[in-house]
Amino acid sequence: MLHNNQRHTYHMVTVSPWPLLGSLGAMITTFGGVMYMHSYRSGGLALSLGIISLTVVATLWWRDVIREATYEGMHTRLVQIGLRIGMVLFIVSEVMFFFAFFWAYFHSALAPTVEIGCVWPPKGIVPFNPWGIPLLNTCILLLSGVTITAVHHYLISGDQVRAEEGFLYTIGLALFFTAFQAFEYFAAPFSISDGIYGSTFYMATGFHGLHVIIGTTFIAVCFVRLLLNHFTKQHHFGFEAAAWYWHFVDVVWLFLFVSIYWWGSVTSGITM
């Protein structure tokens, strides 16, 4: 549905405060994080305010996007192509984000320096058993990838009941993954301050855990939208974006499991 005076299928976005407020929230979060890590008195407060502001802005901004798509009919086929390209580029940027963590890990693992005893993992570090919780979480994430794909199939076929069931299975599996990772962190024999191994391990797996939480929220919002009849057989890009993001999370975890958990335990105690 287009405006009466609009003769094209492009979406001419109206004036919005969210880009400016979002950039300000990101700046406050960045400065607050740096101040907090350097033990400034107001660092924690600035970081908290930045995260809260980003959360509020993101919620209201995406609310407006949902309104434009569902109630105003502004997301035509041409607009959806642009949204798909944008989502692909976002996922590519996320790939580069995790690539930096893998680079840091392998840079230290393949050529351990004298400072850590020329051995990987460094002396005193007991790596996780990959065949325990890491393998279980791998199975959980792979299964969640199957269930989210099933939801897409049911949406296309118009079976809303089974689509709702698939959503519940996916969200449940995601919550199980997060709970097991939290338990793994609680029982870990090393911390993020234990040298290069601890920092690279927790940065990589921790940010992946954060992405799982974000993806779970993304899927939960899509589940609510399904209950509100926002999706049709032909128009459900919001869900497709969530599914793409979730598959990206799955793939990153496979790389984490193979490189950090399995390969890291295999090379344990080997001097380079």
Side-chain angles (χ1 to χ4, degrees):
M1 181 178 67
L2 304 176
H3 293 302
N4 293 331
N5 60 347
Q6 185 170 315
R7 298 176 180 272
H8 55 78
T9 57
Y10 293 95
H11 179 199
M12 307 304 293
V13 183
T14 56
V15 177
S16 172
W18 309 132
L20 176 61
L21 294 178
S23 61
L24 289 176
M27 183 183 68
I28 295 172
T29 303
T30 302
F31 277 99
V34 173
M35 292 170 62
Y36 176 76
M37 286 184 283
H38 287 80
S39 302
Y40 280 86
R41 181 179 302 175
S42 302
L45 177 61
L47 177 61
S48 300
L49 290 176
I51 293 175
I52 293 172
S53 63
L54 279 179
T55 303
V56 172
V57 168
T59 301
L60 296 177
W61 196 347
W62 288 331
R63 177 207 61 183
D64 290 348
V65 173
I66 291 173
R67 287 177 175 175
E68 293 166 356
T70 307
Y71 303 116
E72 299 177 14
M74 301 304 295
H75 289 186
T76 62
R77 290 187 180 275
L78 188 60
V79 173
Q80 290 182 52
I81 292 175
L83 291 173
R84 284 180 166 83
I85 295 174
M87 190 64 193
V88 169
L89 292 176
F90 169 70
I91 292 177
V92 170
S93 71
E94 291 284 78
V95 170
M96 297 297 102
F97 179 78
F98 278 98
F99 181 80
F101 296 136
F102 284 108
W103 183 286
Y105 180 84
F106 282 109
H107 174 78
S108 298
L110 296 176
T113 61
V114 176
E115 289 78 7
I116 60 175
C118 296
V119 62
W120 190 262
K123 292 182 179 180
I125 296 292
V126 179
F128 285 100
N129 177 14
W131 312 119
I133 290 180
L135 178 61
L136 177 60
N137 269 348
T138 302
C139 296
I140 289 174
L141 267 192
L142 291 178
L143 183 58
S144 70
V146 173
T147 57
I148 198 69
T149 302
V151 171
H152 194 195
H153 170 75
Y154 294 136
L155 277 177
I156 295 175
S157 61
D159 192 341
Q160 180 160 338
V161 175
R162 291 190 176 181
E164 293 174 3
E165 293 176 352
F167 266 117
L168 291 175
Y169 287 137
T170 304
I171 295 171
L173 290 169
L175 293 177
F176 273 120
F177 177 92
T178 303
F180 281 125
Q181 187 172 36
F183 175 78
E184 180 183 66
Y185 280 5
F186 181 77
F190 56 89
S191 68
I192 192 172
S193 60
D194 285 329
I196 184 63
Y197 186 91
S199 60
T200 53
F201 175 87
Y202 282 102
M203 287 294 287
T205 60
F207 268 107
H208 177 269
L210 176 62
H211 282 68
V212 169
I213 294 173
I214 295 173
T216 305
T217 306
F218 201 171
I219 294 172
V221 171
C222 289
F223 175 60
V224 174
R225 293 188 64 194
L226 177 67
L227 297 178
L228 296 176
N229 297 313
H230 285 188
F231 296 138
T232 66
K233 295 180 181 179
Q234 297 79 21
H235 195 157
H236 50 263
F237 172 70
F239 164 77
E240 289 181 331
W244 293 356
Y245 187 84
W246 195 251
H247 288 310
F248 159 75
V249 169
D250 287 348
V251 173
V252 170
W253 177 258
L254 289 177
F255 279 99
L256 286 172
F257 175 77
V258 172
S259 60
I260 295 181
Y261 285 100
W262 176 73
W263 184 80
S265 65
V266 170
T267 58
S268 178
I270 299 179
T271 303
M272 301 296 180

